[in-house]
Amino acid sequence: MLERIKRDWDNYKIGIVAAALYLLLSTVCLGEACPSMLFLKAPCPGCGLTRAFFYFCTFRWKTAFSMNAMIFPLMLFLLWSFFFRYGKGRKVPFFYGGIAVLCIGAVVYFCYRSAGGIL
């Protein structure tokens, strides 16, 4: 398992570090990390996921849900993927289908929330 994690880190570390630096620098320097909010001044379906992730990881699930409810299916998908990729050392079943479902779910949730739905 550790060998697979190390191999993936070696393959993707530039992208991971670049994304982390972007989040850090844009938040510190510009006060916002979301490109949609920066350039269009409008939220996107992913807005709130970074904060929701933080609250999820600190066991403040009600607050995480209020930031972006898609954090829960996203975390389930990440756990599913981690289990197969690193635990079993296999290709993740339904990986692209799962990503498609998450994207569609995020857009539907965004539309519901934008229309004034209360969750």
Side-chain angles (χ1 to χ4, degrees), residues 5-85:
I5 292 172
K6 183 183 177 330
R7 186 174 57 236
D8 282 352
W9 169 254
D10 289 341
N11 288 335
Y12 303 114
K13 67 182 165 199
I14 292 173
I16 293 168
V17 170
L21 282 174
Y22 167 78
L23 282 172
L24 177 69
L25 292 175
S26 65
T27 302
V28 169
C29 297
L30 304 172
E32 185 65 59
C34 177
S36 178
M37 288 298 286
L38 282 171
F39 299 115
L40 304 174
K41 304 294 183 213
C44 70
C47 276
L49 275 176
T50 303
R51 288 171 288 163
F53 180 76
F54 170 77
Y55 290 122
F56 183 91
C57 290
T58 56
F59 304 102
R60 293 183 269 178
W61 295 324
K62 187 175 181 182
T63 307
F65 186 84
S66 70
M67 292 290 116
N68 191 323
M70 287 302 296
I71 191 64
F72 292 97
L74 176 62
M75 293 306 288
L76 284 173
F77 180 73
L78 290 175
L79 287 172
W80 167 267
S81 298
F82 188 88
F83 172 73
F84 277 94
R85 173 80 179 132

